[in-house]
Amino acid sequence: MSATSGTADIVVIGGGIFGLSLARELAERARRRIVLIERRHLGAGASSRNVTRVRAMQLTPELARLAIACQEKHARLDRELGTATLFWRPGYALVLYDDEEMEIMGRANAMLRREFGLRTELLDRRGTLERVPVLEGGALPVGALYHRDAAVHHDSVVIAYRRALSARGVDVREHTEVTGLLVAGKHVEGVATPTGEIRAPVVVNATGAWSRTISAMAGLDVPNTPLRREAMVTEAVKPIMDTMVTFYRPLEGWFHQTLRGEVVMGVTDPAETPGITLSSSAEFPVRTARHVLAKAPGLAGLHVVRQWAGMYDVTPDRKPTVGPVAARPGLVQMSGCNGRGFLLGPKLGELLAAWLDTGRQPDLLAGFEADRFAEGAPSVPVVADYYAGYRQK
């Protein structure tokens, strides 16, 4: 039996963007006993292993509604936290390479403009090459869906949250691993760590790709699946592009230039095996160079200086999982980033804090409930057709 190390009103497990934002929002609502537990250092997981695109342009109405609110939160986050987050709007282009993609994105464009008033543009080939001239000389695109979307810098955001938590007196415990949940009957009543137990009426699972592991400690079999995504970055060079690019054919890939002049890029492995790994592969830079240069040969000659891997926490419907778990009173889920963790985190923290404080589910979280999947529901993290995971009804 471990020694008791204290009590709290809420224990938040996970020191990434989800956990940081929730702890800060709870502290703003005058909850005095908040303990944030992180097994390594703050931001050590996916929150420091991503490229922090925060795009409002999404493929379904449900996700678009949430993403627009999340981007608006990012736009004011530096003022809320009192520290610069390096929010900027370079613009974003989903570059398309066949007629089916144009049809899919044509419907998405109409939805985004009609339902949300976004000033998206469905560009033809000529318009795409004018907007993204770095594509000249590469595989000819059919068109692109464009919006003046945004990005931030992950380190700046994490530092801003760290300072905010310190100012609010939140008990942050880094390099502390949760070894178990304290469960009485079906009720979750706290956490166990190597240094002792922390009793709390509310425990929040905000661990990203590790969310399934924490859920299992409560006896829950959730369909969240960890999936590796790799990235690499070149040396800094003079400005050569001002739009972030993503493409899905023939493989999912992306590239853009940062504020510091580096070019970050990645192309996924279609045979990626689900599971947690933060090591990048020898095949990754070869695959990425081959497919990115086929689209943008003008990037040839840049020197790659670093590569890394981060994790997606993937749900079957590609939507986040947020809220109390009816089958395990006391446990709250804040997971399922599906590659959008940095976009979603600050606003989800605000919404979930309001829910926990008032007992009322915010309208923006409708459809993202933690109980929407049946116990033992199958995981479907990888599909041959990217768009199949986001089909509009």
Side-chain angles (χ1 to χ4, degrees):
M1 187 76 164
S2 61
T4 301
S5 64
T7 60
D9 292 320
I10 294 181
V11 172
V12 180
I13 310 173
I17 188 66
F18 278 16
L20 289 168
S21 63
L22 178 61
R24 182 259 174 184
E25 296 287 348
L26 288 168
E28 289 291 316
R29 288 174 171 270
R31 290 189 179 270
R32 299 304 181 192
R33 293 183 298 170
I34 304 163
V35 177
L36 175 66
I37 300 177
E38 166 55 46
R39 60 191 287 267
R40 296 178 65 193
H41 58 271
L42 297 184
S47 293
S48 61
R49 295 170 175 269
N50 64 84
V51 295
T52 51
R53 296 176 172 191
V54 291
R55 62 184 173 99
M57 188 169 64
Q58 302 288 331
L59 301 187
T60 67
E62 205 170 24
L63 286 172
R65 183 177 298 107
L66 179 61
I68 291 167
C70 289
Q71 189 184 89
E72 291 171 350
K73 175 77 170 181
H74 270 286
R76 62 178 184 271
L77 195 59
D78 57 350
R79 298 189 298 277
E80 291 186 10
L81 299 181
T83 305
T85 61
L86 300 185
F87 177 90
W88 63 305
R89 290 185 178 276
Y92 180 90
L94 276 166
V95 181
L96 315 172
Y97 287 91
D98 63 34
D99 292 336
E100 181 188 12
E101 286 193 309
M102 281 292 285
E103 183 179 345
I104 292 170
M105 290 304 171
R107 294 195 298 270
N109 181 54
M111 176 269 294
L112 292 167
R113 294 178 67 89
R114 179 182 65 251
E115 297 188 29
F116 302 105
L118 286 190
R119 299 176 66 179
T120 54
E121 300 176 61
L122 189 64
L123 306 174
D124 59 14
R125 176 178 293 164
R126 179 178 178 180
T128 300
L129 294 176
E130 289 176 351
R131 178 78 70 177
V132 194
V134 73
L135 299 174
E136 287 282 0
L140 285 176
V142 174
L145 183 60
Y146 175 83
H147 183 244
R148 191 169 172 264
D149 261 323
V152 294
H153 192 279
H154 52 81
D155 289 338
S156 299
V157 175
V158 169
I159 290 169
Y161 270 115
R162 178 188 283 276
R163 291 176 175 172
L165 295 185
S166 178
R168 282 292 181 180
V170 174
D171 184 355
V172 177
R173 304 190 186 185
E174 296 178 274
H175 305 289
T176 301
E177 186 165 4
V178 170
T179 56
L181 298 184
L182 307 181
V183 182
K186 292 186 176 181
H187 290 253
V188 174
E189 299 182 343
V191 302
T193 75
T195 58
E197 297 176 350
I198 306 172
R199 296 276 174 179
V202 177
V203 174
V204 182
N205 179 7
T207 56
W210 290 263
S211 63
R212 189 166 191 167
T213 299
I214 299 298
S215 295
M217 292 178 180
L220 292 176
D221 182 14
V222 299
N224 297 56
T225 301
L227 192 65
R228 178 176 67 170
R229 284 294 181 259
E230 299 174 85
M232 66 188 193
V233 64
T234 74
E235 62 191 329
V237 294
K238 66 180 182 181
I240 54 178
M241 59 184 300
D242 60 2
T243 299
M244 301 180 290
V245 170
T246 291
F247 54 88
Y248 294 129
R249 303 285 171 86
L251 296 179
E252 180 185 349
W254 50 270
F255 56 93
H256 68 263
Q257 192 166 25
T258 71
L259 285 170
R260 294 192 298 189
E262 306 142 322
V263 178
V264 292
M265 63 187 76
V267 172
T268 63
D269 181 355
E272 184 69 56
T273 301
I276 294 177
T277 174
L278 295 179
S279 60
S280 189
S281 64
E283 297 80 14
F284 166 71
V286 177
R287 178 176 65 251
T288 297
R290 181 170 64 249
H291 286 279
V292 168
L293 291 179
K295 312 288 188 184
L299 299 179
L302 296 180
H303 294 99
V304 175
V305 296
R306 186 166 63 94
Q307 68 183 83
W308 66 94
M311 300 300 305
Y312 282 8
D313 181 26
V314 182
T315 57
D317 58 7
R318 307 305 195 271
K319 298 187 296 187
T321 299
V322 186
V325 180
R328 294 293 185 277
L331 180 64
V332 176
Q333 301 282 22
M334 190 183 185
S335 60
C337 63
N338 295 278
R340 300 183 186 87
F342 234 89
L343 164 67
L344 300 176
K347 186 64 178 182
L348 288 187
E350 176 187 301
L351 295 169
L352 183 54
W355 189 349
L356 295 177
D357 200 39
T358 66
R360 296 189 299 272
Q361 180 187 25
D363 292 341
L364 268 178
L365 293 182
F368 306 128
E369 293 82 2
D371 296 323
R372 70 181 184 275
F373 300 115
E375 178 73 9
S379 303
V380 286
V382 184
V383 290
D385 179 359
Y386 172 88
Y387 301 105
Y390 298 91
R391 294 297 188 200
Q392 297 184 47
K393 298 180 181 179

